C-alpha cells in the first residue's frame, strides 16, 4: 500500500476510485453510485482533517467518530440537524467501504455501525378526487400522452422517481402486463402488475408519442425529453409532475413520491392487505409500509 500513498491523501483517492469501480462491478445502480462516491469523499475529508493520510492509520473508531460528528452537524442550506435518513446513507456507504476493503484484501478493519432512528413525518398524498383532477389536466398533445404514461408509472404502478427514470423498454412485459423494476431501492428487483388503464397509457405512449420525441438516436429508456430527444433525468420528470400538479390547481406541496404515497393509501383504503402493498411498493420491511395505516380512514 505504501507505493500509492506517497502524497498526503493520494492513497485515499485511489481507494475511492477502486470503491466506485467495485460498486459498478457489483451492478449497483448508476443513479446511486455518484451519491455513494460523494459520501465516501466526505469521510475521506474527515480522515485527512484528522491527519490520517494512509489506510494503515484507519481504525474502526474513525467511522464511529465521523457518524457522531454528523449527528451533531446541521445542513448548510437548512441550518437544521441532518435527518436520520441522510445519516443512514452515510452509514450504509461506510459499511460497504469496509466490506470493499476486506474483500479486496486491502484492510481487515470493520465498522460496527448501527442505523440511527429515522423520524417519519406523515406522508403527503392526493385524494382520489385530486388524482382525477391530475389526469383531467393532461393535454391531448404528444407531451400529454407522455404525462399520462408518467402518471401510470408513478401513481398507477407506485414507482419511485429513480425507478421511473431508469425504466427501459425491455422492463415492460406486455404479455403479462407487468413492469420489471430492476433499479429498486437497495438494488432490489421486483415485478409490479399494471392495471388496464395504466398498461394502455404506457403502451400508447411507447407506440405513438415516444417515437416522435426521439431525436438523439436510439435508447432503451422509456421516458424521452422533449427538447433534446434524450432520456429524461430524475429532475426533468420531477419538474414535469410539479407542472402538472400546478395545472390541476392542486394546492398541496406534492411531487413524484407523493403519487407513490397516494396509490399506497388508496390501495389500503380499498381493502388491500398491508403485505401485498409492501410487495407492490418494494419495501424491504413491513415497518416501512405501516405508516399508511394512519391514513386508512381518512377521506379518499
Amino acid at each position: 500500500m505504501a507505493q500509492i500513498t506517497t502524497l498526503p491523501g493520494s492513497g485515499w483517492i485511489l481507494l475511492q476510485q477502486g470503491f466506485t469501480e467495485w460498486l459498478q462491478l457489483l451492478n449497483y445502480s448508476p443513479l446511486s453510485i455518484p451519491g455513494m462516491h460523494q459520501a465516501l469523499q466526505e469521510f475521506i475529508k474527515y480522515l485527512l482533517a484528522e491527519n490520517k493520510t494512509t489506510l494503515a492509520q484507519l481504525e474502526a473508531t474513525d467511522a464511529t467518530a465521523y457518524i457522531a460528528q454528523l449527528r451533531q452537524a446541521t445542513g448548510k442550506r437548512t441550518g437544521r440537524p441532518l435527518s436520520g435518513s441522510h445519516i443512514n446513507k452515510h452509514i450504509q456507504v461506510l459499511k460497504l467501504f469496509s466490506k470493499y476493503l476486506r474483500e479486496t484484501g486491502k484492510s481487515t478493519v470493520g465498522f460496527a455501525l448501527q442505523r440511527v432512528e429515522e423520524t417519519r413525518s406523515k406522508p403527503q398524498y392526493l385524494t382520489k378526487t385530486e388524482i382525477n383532477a391530475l389526469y383531467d389536466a393532461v393535454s391531448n398533445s404528444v407531451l400529454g400522452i407522455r404525462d399520462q404514461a408518467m402518471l401510470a408509472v408513478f401513481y398507477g404502478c407506485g414507482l419511485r422517481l429513480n425507478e421511473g427514470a431508469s425504466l427501459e423498454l425491455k422492463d415492460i412485459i406486455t404479455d403479462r402486463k407487468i413492469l420489471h423494476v430492476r433499479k429498486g431501492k437497495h438494488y432490489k428487483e421486483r415485478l409490479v402488475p399494471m392495471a388496464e388503464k395504466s398498461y394502455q397509457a404506457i403502451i400508447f405512449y411507447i407506440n405513438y408519442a415516444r417515437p416522435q420525441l426521439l431525436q438523439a438516436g436510439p435508447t432503451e429508456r422509456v421516458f424521452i425529453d422533449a427538447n433534446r430527444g434524450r432520456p429524461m433525468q430524475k429532475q426533468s420528470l420531477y419538474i414535469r409532475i410539479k407542472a402538472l400538479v400546478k395545472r390541476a390547481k392542486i394546492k398541496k406541496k406534492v411531487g413524484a413520491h407523493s403519487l407513490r404515497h397516494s396509490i399506497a393509501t388508496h390501495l389500503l383504503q380499498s381493502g388491500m392487505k398491508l403485505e401485498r402493498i409492501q410487495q407492490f411498493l418494494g419495501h424491504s420491511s413491513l415497518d416501512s409500509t405501516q405508516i399508511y395505516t394512519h391514513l386508512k380512514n381518512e377521506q379518499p
Side-chain angles (χ1 to χ4, degrees):
M1 185 59 62
Q3 70 271 21
I4 67 169
T5 55
T6 53
L7 295 174
S10 64
W12 292 123
I13 293 172
L14 290 176
L15 284 170
Q16 184 184 21
Q17 293 171 346
F19 174 66
T20 300
E21 292 169 0
W22 180 74
L23 293 174
Q24 293 169 338
L25 286 174
L26 292 179
N27 202 30
Y28 278 77
S29 168
L31 295 172
S32 62
I33 288 178
M36 299 168 81
H37 180 93
Q38 178 64 32
L40 180 58
Q41 185 169 303
E42 293 299 319
F43 179 56
I44 291 172
K45 287 180 181 178
Y46 167 80
L47 293 173
L48 293 175
E50 296 293 315
N51 294 317
K52 297 205 169 186
T53 58
T54 68
L55 180 59
Q57 296 172 293
L58 182 65
E59 299 175 283
T61 53
D62 291 322
T64 306
Y66 175 65
I67 295 302
Q69 179 175 289
L70 287 183
R71 297 189 72 167
Q72 297 298 319
T74 56
K76 292 180 180 179
R77 289 182 297 176
T78 65
R80 295 185 297 222
L82 300 177
S83 68
S85 175
H86 180 86
I87 294 172
N88 282 333
K89 288 178 182 177
H90 282 264
I91 289 174
Q92 178 196 17
V93 170
L94 290 183
K95 284 184 173 181
L96 280 171
F97 181 57
S98 174
K99 184 178 180 181
Y100 158 72
L101 293 177
R102 294 195 305 274
E103 289 192 353
T104 56
K106 292 178 170 55
S107 175
T108 58
V109 173
F111 299 147
L113 299 171
Q114 298 296 323
R115 289 173 60 87
V116 303
E117 184 178 353
E118 297 183 21
T119 303
R120 293 183 180 176
S121 59
K122 190 176 181 180
Q124 182 71 277
Y125 78 102
L126 299 176
T127 65
K128 291 181 180 179
T129 299
E130 289 167 332
I131 288 293
N132 288 334
L134 208 55
Y135 275 96
D136 290 341
V138 173
S139 69
N140 293 322
S141 66
V142 169
L143 295 185
I145 295 171
R146 190 187 65 184
D147 288 339
Q148 285 273 6
M150 287 168 57
L151 290 176
V153 166
F154 294 116
Y155 171 72
C157 298
L159 267 63
R160 300 178 178 93
L161 192 58
N162 274 353
E163 295 168 348
S166 303
L167 202 62
E168 297 185 353
L169 295 176
K170 64 184 178 183
D171 299 329
I172 302 170
I173 307 173
T174 55
D175 58 336
R176 297 170 60 191
K177 295 183 180 177
I178 285 174
L179 283 185
H180 186 179
V181 180
R182 303 174 190 270
K183 309 282 187 176
K185 192 174 183 180
H186 302 311
Y187 325 106
K188 293 182 179 179
E189 298 185 13
R190 71 182 187 280
L191 297 175
V192 179
M194 291 182 280
E196 185 64 26
K197 180 180 178 181
S198 296
Y199 172 75
Q200 293 296 338
I202 293 170
I203 294 302
F204 185 50
Y205 160 70
I206 288 174
N207 291 339
Y208 178 74
R210 186 178 180 276
Q212 299 183 58
L213 295 172
L214 278 173
Q215 299 173 20
T219 176
E220 279 293 303
R221 291 287 178 85
V222 169
F223 291 112
I224 305 300
D225 187 282
N227 296 322
R228 298 177 299 169
R230 297 175 181 174
M232 292 181 75
Q233 302 302 311
K234 290 190 303 180
Q235 186 67 11
S236 298
L237 287 165
Y238 177 80
I239 290 172
R240 187 68 185 179
I241 290 172
K242 291 290 285 186
L244 201 56
V245 169
K246 184 177 181 180
R247 195 184 309 157
K249 298 181 179 179
I250 295 171
K251 303 300 181 183
K252 295 177 180 176
K253 292 183 179 180
V254 295
H257 210 71
S258 305
L259 298 180
R260 176 175 161 86
H261 288 321
S262 301
I263 187 61
T265 303
H266 298 160
L267 289 174
L268 189 63
Q269 289 171 339
S270 68
M272 182 179 284
K273 291 185 178 180
L274 208 59
E275 290 78 7
R276 287 191 61 195
I277 297 175
Q278 176 193 357
Q279 295 173 352
F280 179 78
L281 297 175
H283 285 160
S284 57
S285 168
L286 192 60
D287 290 342
S288 300
T289 320
Q290 290 280 1
I291 193 170
Y292 296 108
T293 59
H294 302 295
L295 308 175
K296 181 177 181 180
N297 297 320
E298 292 189 6
Q299 178 64 37

